[in-house]
Every structure is written in structure tokens, then in C-alpha cells.
Amino acid sequence: MEWLKELNQQQLEAVLSTEGPLLVLAGAGSGKTRVITYRIAYILNMGLAKPGNILAITFTNKAADEMKERIKKLVGIESFSEMWISTFHSACARILRMEAHSIGFSNNFVIFDMQDRHQLLKECFEKLNIDQDRLELRYVSRQISNFKNMLISPSDTHKMGDVDPRIVEIYRLYNKLLKEYNALDFDDLIYHTITLFRTNPDILERYQQKFKYILVDEYQDTNDAQFKLIYLLAQKHRNICVVGDDDQSIYSFRGANVRNILEFENVFSDAKVIKLERNYRSTKTILSVANEVIKNNTSRKEKKLWTENNEGEKIYLYTAFDEIDEANFVSMSIKNLIQSGVKPSEIGILYRTNAQSLNFENALSSHAIPYKVVGSLRFFERKEIKDIIAYLRLVTNPHDNLSLFRIINVPKRGIGPGTVEKIKVLSDEYGISAYSLLKERGAMEFDRRTYLKLNEFIFLLEDIRAEADSKSVVEVIKLVLDKTKYMETLLSSKNEEDFQRVKNLEQLISAAAVFEEENEDKSLQNFLNSITLSFEEDEAQKEDRVLLMTIHAAKGLEFDVVFLTGLEEGLFPLLRAEDINGMKEELEEERRLCYVAITRAKKFLVLTYANNRRVFGRFSSRQRSCFLDEIPANYIQQVYTPLRKINFSDMSFNENQQSVTKDSLAVGDIIQHNRFGIGKVLSLSEDLNEVLIEFENYGQKRLLLSYANLRKIG
DNA sequence: CACGTCTTCCTTTTT
DNA sequence: GGAAGACGTG
């Protein structure tokens, strides 16, 4: 295990301490992912456990995939499907698929996303005759989610003090409907898994036995339910390793509880604690700025990140006239940076809210800079995609009323709101699903003309279902598009938008094709499962483009250059007048968010804010963010024009302790590259600046040694 | 019942 | 400035 030499003292200790509870406090850029992957590789290589005995929880599916790739490289084993590397939600879905009957669901349950949840809540409001002003709906939705994240059932809500009885009523009905539709929402996945374990000790025992080693990444962002789950599972072997950084806890709105990390040592009294405080990512300046900002928070574990990296440049600050000026400054600076040799994909534009992306998109495209927006309008949330998915869901489960009502008149087939309302009322009355009602009682309850239309619809669904059995996912989708005339309707439209929709649907088909290639379980069921739980973008990720995203989405990523934008009071920190009570805590979370943003930067950090900004289309004047005042002036270089070209190669430093330098590399060496993986050195240029490498998976590449950040592995 | 225009409300952040 | 719902007309 040569690769163990790549680790520093603390990292190594974290890898080798395989037995018993372990808390790794890993500061930003301190190599925490490396610790987790190497730890798993070590456990496997030492024969301490089989792949099937390992449960590794990551925060996103993307992170899970990356982790699998890295471990694969270290260990080179094949039995990966046996190793559970996934998010909490995916892991729970996987368990529940097998055990659903034990909690009163059938194993072909569907997973409701946030849109679905809102839709269903709306139904609840209607059924209970509760005035649904929109604000209330969002509030109720959040409440219910909080309850589930704290493992509080409808009948337990009184424990939370004064809860609006209407909310309890809605909560109860909402759960009841979910069950009728055989559906689970995101929070249910965790909640029900815990219920399953609590009510079926034998099942719990089985999983406890199975998971000899449990690892949790981004532990600071776990909520009460997730903690409970881990706690239950780890009881048997107690080999539980959690990795996190309380300073990067940014998901309390989702129920994340920082106390989980702060109190780990109390819950597991024999826990070992290892701190990783050496940062390998950023310049000294950037790290100092991050430290200066975060030290204003009161409730945190004391720690001091340090680095051996260069001092680096001062950070830049630009004050824009308005948000358009801001976007232009950023775009023109990026143009110059790219001309200086910075790769577009090494540049990130970060902002607090998704709504801010638009100006940057406009400015970037007018400067012909390649970019990609991460997140925002997610593919699987588009109308046309959700429509088709609704059909697919009905194929697996005809009693999913929500999906049925979504597409009962899509494309238009003459079934209007009046008829839909009648179906709802009647199916309620008879206590059966809308589908059953139409099938069994349609002829009696509706007049002839309506009945014919309804019958045609039911027939369509059954027709699709009958054929779907013997078909692959791709074929089923095509079948739906064809039989429903969905595609036909779009194609005959002269609307520009509809043309885009056709392209999106084509993408859905290719996404399904990729799914079939990559998954062992190729069932429609599993397809539906995977698309609600992950928003895996298509392969465009590898392309060399500037990335735009929210700070939340940037967690775990790093860039040579980061533009942190919109640093204005009210926007970042984003605080609302309503919650004066939670003010301090909320501000601290915003500050952590700021800390996360700053520590994404490796070499350059550029901060911007605008004196004026159009909010909801209204022009309003702005004040600079309080976070800016927390940065000592000597770190800041105020600029008034876009950044000029720079000598970028001067900026490089060794980010990894084992990075190769000119003298240490020879022809024939085996190296590892962050992006391209493992390769062999074919030749070196005379001045030793350039190197030609044959990569296992990417073929030959000519790289500049000063950027390439190669690690020698043999 | 479909389609077009008018109004309202809006914005956190995501699995 | 834009989406989603309300309202009114063909």
C-alpha cells in the first residue's frame, strides 16, 4: 500500500484507526475526501471487511460516484455494487425497496420530490377546507418536513409545544394520502427506515451485522433522523467514522443539526478525535481571509487552519454600479484570465440565490465565454419531463393519483377541470383511487360523452402498461411519447419553447440509455427511483467551461479562481425581517456560507457587490455586506476596472504534499492526475516544463507540469 | 372546454 | 421581470 505514504501524520492516523468510533474534524481543503477513500481502501486491502460490509454516506450522488472512482483506482476490485456508497436517501430507498412490506408499503413505491409534495399539500388544504394562502402552504410544508426530520409523528406533535392544530390535521392527512398513493417523500425515506428498524429488531440486526464499517462524510450537515439512523446501525460493531467541519454547516434549513458533530464525543464516549488543520488548497492570503471571517462566529470548535502554500495575491474587491455592471466586470475579467492561461473550468462564479445567475449568463455569452449553470432549473423538474415521468409512474403504480391528475388532460384530450373535480369527489366518496373509480364505475357516474373520453384515457394507460412489461426503459419512454401523441403534439406546435421541449425529451431518452448501460437493475422502477434522488447531469460536466452556481452547490468543489458575487446586505447575508429571533443563528449560518465560498478558491479570490440592484424588477440601492468589514483591509486590493492579464504560471504551488516537481519525474513513471486518472509518462520536454502522458482512460495528453498537479504512484 | 390576458406574488439555500 | 394562478371571452 504505497499510497499510504501520500498522507500526512493526522490523515494517516485517521486512516489507520479503523476500530471504534472516530470523529475527524477536517477543515476546508484539508484532504478529508482523501482520508475517507483511503480508509475504505485500507480496510479492504487489509481484509478487515468485504465490500458488502461497508456503508459510506456522502452528501450528494455526485460525491458518491467520485468516491467510488477513487477507491476503484486504489483497490482495483470489481464487486462495487456490493459496497454501499451513497447518500442517506439512496441508501434508505435501497433498504426500503427490499423491506417495504414491513412498513405497510408495497415495494414499488414512488418517491415524491418537492413539487409533488407541494401539489399533494394543496390537495390536503382543499380536502380539509383550509384557506390556502400561498405563504401558509410553504410554511406548512417546512413544518412537516421539520417534524419528519426530528422523527415526530402527527400524534407526537404536541411535544413540540403549541402547534397549530390545522397543521397537525394536514400533516396527518398528507401522510395518509402518501400511503394511499404508495408514495414516500424525501424525508420519509429516512423516517420510515428508522420506523422499520424500530419495529423489526430482526431486520435491524441483519443490517447491523452487515455494516461492519460505517463512514459519514459532511457529518455537520446531518439532521436528527439521519443521526438516529447511523446510531442504530453502528450499535453492533461501533466502527463508525464521521468526517466533517462545523464551520461548514450550511443546511440547518433542512433540519441539519450542528450539535451532531459538536456532541459526537459525548454520544460515543470512547470516540477518538483527529483534527486535520493543514490546508492544501488555498494561498495563505485566502486562508487568512477565511479565518478572519469565520472567527466572528461564537459557537464553534476552536481550530486554526494553516498552510505551507504561497502567500499569493491579495484578494480583489470590485464595487459595481449595478448588477449588470457586476456581471460585465466578472465576464471581462474572466476573458482576460482565460487569455492568461487559466482554464475556464478552473473558474467559478458563486452567488447566494439562483436568481442571480441570469445576468452572468447574459454577460458571459456576449463575451463568448463557455459556461455552465449548475443546479437551478433542474432537468428532471421541467414540465415535459415530469409529464412523461408521471406516465411512467402510472405504469408501475396506477393508484398514484397525483401523477394521474397531472396528465389526465396532457396532452389535451377534452377532460376539463369540471370532470376532474367530479372524479376527485367521487373517488373520495367511494374510498378508492381515481384509477379504480374510472375503471369500475366510469360508465355509471359520467354522461356518455365524458365517459367515452375517460375510457379512452384509461384504455391508453392500460395499453401502455401491457406493452411495457416486456420492454426496456428507453422503449417504454418511446412508447409513452408515441401512444399519448405527446411528441406529435409538440412537433406540430410552432411555439419556440416546444422545440426545446422536444430536445429535452430526446435527452430524457439518452439519460435512460445511460441508465441502462450503467445499472445492473435496469427496471423502470429503479430508473424512476434514481432520477428523483439524483440530478445527474449529462456528460457535459467534463467540458471546459466556467461554472456558475450557488454557494450551497459549490460545497466540496474547488477552483483556481473564485468570483464571489452579490456581497450586499440583505442578499448575502440573506436575512429576512420576519425572523428577528433566529437572527443571530441565521447570521452565523450565513457567515459559514461565506467561509465555504472563500475556501473554494485556490489562487485568486475576487469579491464583488453592487451599489444598486434590481430586485423584483425594482431598482433599489444597496449596502455592502457586513462580511466585507470583517476582512482586514491589508488583505484587500480594491479594483476599478476588470482584472488584467496576469502571469498565471507564477501563481502555482504544490497543492499536494506529493506533487511532482521537475526534478522528480522521469520517463516511465506512473502518475496520477486529478482529472485524467492514472497514466504513464512517455516523454518530457527539454526545459522539463511539458510532459506527455498516456492515460489509461483518456489517451495521450500533453500537460504543463506547473499546472498538472501530478502525483507519482510508481 | 380551450385559450388568452391580467394579476399577484415572489426568492433562500437541496436530498 | 417572470411564473403561476385567476378571470373572462370565444
Side-chain angles (χ1 to χ4, degrees), chain A residues 89 97 109-121 174 177-189 386 393 397 399-404 528-529 532-533:
Chain A
H89 299 269
R97 277 289 167 225
F109 60 82
V110 296
I111 298 167
F112 276 10
D113 66 14
M114 239 176 43
Q115 281 182 30
D116 300 328
R117 144 187 282 174
H118 272 212
Q119 217 55 44
L120 187 57
L121 278 174
Y174 172 74
L177 290 178
L178 280 172
K179 196 154 197 171
E180 276 174 23
Y181 298 176
N182 197 27
L184 304 184
D185 68 18
F186 283 136
D187 305 320
D188 284 340
L189 290 171
K386 288 222 76 171
R393 282 175 169 185
N397 173 21
H399 305 295
D400 177 352
N401 283 355
L402 208 62
S403 297
L404 185 132
L528 291 172
N529 199 2
T532 18
L533 286 177

Side-chain angles (χ1 to χ4, degrees), chain A residues 218-334:
Chain A
E218 307 284 6
Y219 187 66
Q220 74 281 354
D221 288 320
T222 52
N223 60 37
D224 292 356
Q226 292 165 338
F227 164 76
K228 187 76 193 173
L229 185 73
I230 287 302
Y231 183 78
L232 285 173
L233 283 173
Q235 281 305 299
K236 182 100 187 167
H237 295 288
R238 295 178 59 77
N239 297 325
I240 161 92
C241 167
V242 302
V243 184
D245 177 5
D246 51 314
D247 286 335
Q248 294 187 62
S249 165
I250 54 174
Y251 280 93
S252 72
F253 69 90
R254 202 167 92 185
N257 193 342
V258 207
R259 285 209 312 275
N260 284 345
I261 199 166
L262 298 176
E263 285 172 12
F264 186 82
E265 294 162 78
N266 303 333
V267 179
F268 294 94
S269 53
D270 54 334
K272 189 169 184 175
V273 181
I274 297 173
K275 286 187 181 183
L276 306 182
E277 294 181 300
R278 174 165 177 190
N279 172 295
Y280 293 101
R281 181 186 292 155
S282 311
T283 64
K284 282 198 177 71
T285 304
I286 290 170
L287 205 57
S288 301
V289 168
N291 279 331
E292 288 290 338
V293 170
I294 198 65
K295 80 177 187 197
N296 292 290
N297 273 4
T298 51
S299 53
R300 59 186 289 256
K301 292 213 173 210
E302 195 46 51
K303 68 180 85 65
K304 186 84 186 166
L305 275 180
W306 59 279
T307 184
E308 299 255 295
N309 292 342
N310 297 341
E311 201 68 42
E313 307 259 317
K314 285 186 176 186
I315 64 169
Y316 297 103
L317 173 65
Y318 178 74
T319 306
F321 170 72
D322 62 7
E323 77 278 4
I324 294 170
D325 182 33
E326 180 187 48
N328 280 330
F329 164 80
V330 171
S331 302
M332 284 158 77
S333 299
I334 287 176

Side-chain angles (χ1 to χ4, degrees), chain A residues 532-550:
Chain A
T532 18
L533 286 177
S534 74
F535 51 103
E536 276 164 55
E537 306 273 336
D538 42 340
E539 293 310 297
Q541 265 176 0
K542 292 191 203 104
E543 287 174 40
D544 194 11
R545 309 179 189 181
V546 176
L547 290 179
L548 285 70
M549 67 189 96
T550 64

Side-chain angles (χ1 to χ4, degrees), chain A residues 345-401:
Chain A
S345 58
E346 277 301 335
I347 300 173
I349 303 177
L350 306 186
Y351 36 76
R352 180 63 237 269
T353 64
N354 277 310
Q356 286 162 257
S357 73
L358 193 66
N359 296 305
F360 293 110
E361 291 183 62
N362 290 338
L364 288 169
S365 51
S366 77
H367 287 94
I369 298 166
Y371 70 88
K372 181 180 173 199
V373 185
V374 179
S376 67
L377 269 172
R378 264 179 252 115
F379 182 69
F380 290 108
E381 283 172 9
R382 288 167 213 264
K383 243 180 257 119
E384 61 278 17
I385 304 299
K386 288 222 76 171
D387 285 344
I388 299 310
I389 287 171
Y391 277 103
L392 298 179
R393 282 175 169 185
L394 284 170
V395 167
T396 65
N397 173 21
H399 305 295
D400 177 352
N401 283 355

Side-chain angles (χ1 to χ4, degrees), chain A residues 127-242:
Chain A
K127 287 196 167 148
L128 295 170
N129 257 329
I130 294 171
D131 217 7
Q132 54 154 324
D133 84 56
R134 289 266 246 28
L135 228 148
E136 179 127 7
L137 183 98
R138 297 163 41 100
Y139 174 71
V140 172
S141 165
R142 223 176 56 197
Q143 275 296 306
I144 292 178
S145 178
N146 285 342
F147 285 145
K148 289 188 176 179
N149 287 331
M150 292 190 290
L151 297 172
I152 294 172
S153 70
S155 39
D156 283 343
T157 46
H158 63 272
K159 290 180 189 161
M160 299 304 292
D162 268 345
V163 182
D164 188 334
R166 291 179 309 168
I167 294 185
V168 181
E169 217 180 334
I170 295 169
Y171 183 13
R172 194 168 272 126
L173 178 63
Y174 172 74
N175 274 354
K176 185 171 158 254
L177 290 178
L178 280 172
K179 196 154 197 171
E180 276 174 23
Y181 298 176
N182 197 27
L184 304 184
D185 68 18
F186 283 136
D187 305 320
D188 284 340
L189 290 171
I190 321 275
Y191 186 103
H192 281 121
T193 306
I194 290 170
T195 315
L196 171 79
F197 286 159
R198 277 181 171 163
T199 51
N200 301 274
D202 53 315
I203 297 180
L204 173 60
E205 162 87 26
R206 228 167 61 219
Y207 285 96
Q208 283 176 335
Q209 197 63 43
K210 176 177 170 59
F211 296 128
K212 282 171 89 172
Y213 292 94
I214 298 174
L215 300 95
V216 185
D217 194 8
E218 307 284 6
Y219 187 66
Q220 74 281 354
D221 288 320
T222 52
N223 60 37
D224 292 356
Q226 292 165 338
F227 164 76
K228 187 76 193 173
L229 185 73
I230 287 302
Y231 183 78
L232 285 173
L233 283 173
Q235 281 305 299
K236 182 100 187 167
H237 295 288
R238 295 178 59 77
N239 297 325
I240 161 92
C241 167
V242 302

Side-chain angles (χ1 to χ4, degrees), chain A residues 450-493:
Chain A
T450 325
Y451 170 67
L452 284 176
K453 288 177 193 156
L454 291 172
N455 200 37
E456 203 177 326
F457 171 64
I458 290 293
F459 187 75
L460 172 72
L461 290 184
E462 301 208 317
D463 192 21
I464 294 171
R465 181 134 24 93
E467 278 196 53
D469 267 350
S470 55
K471 291 196 187 304
S472 71
V473 176
V474 171
E475 287 168 330
V476 178
I477 294 173
K478 284 182 179 164
L479 188 71
V480 168
L481 288 172
D482 183 41
K483 292 245 175 198
T484 59
K485 301 202 165 64
Y486 200 101
M487 199 52 124
E488 201 183 305
T489 316
L490 284 182
L491 286 172
S492 64
S493 152

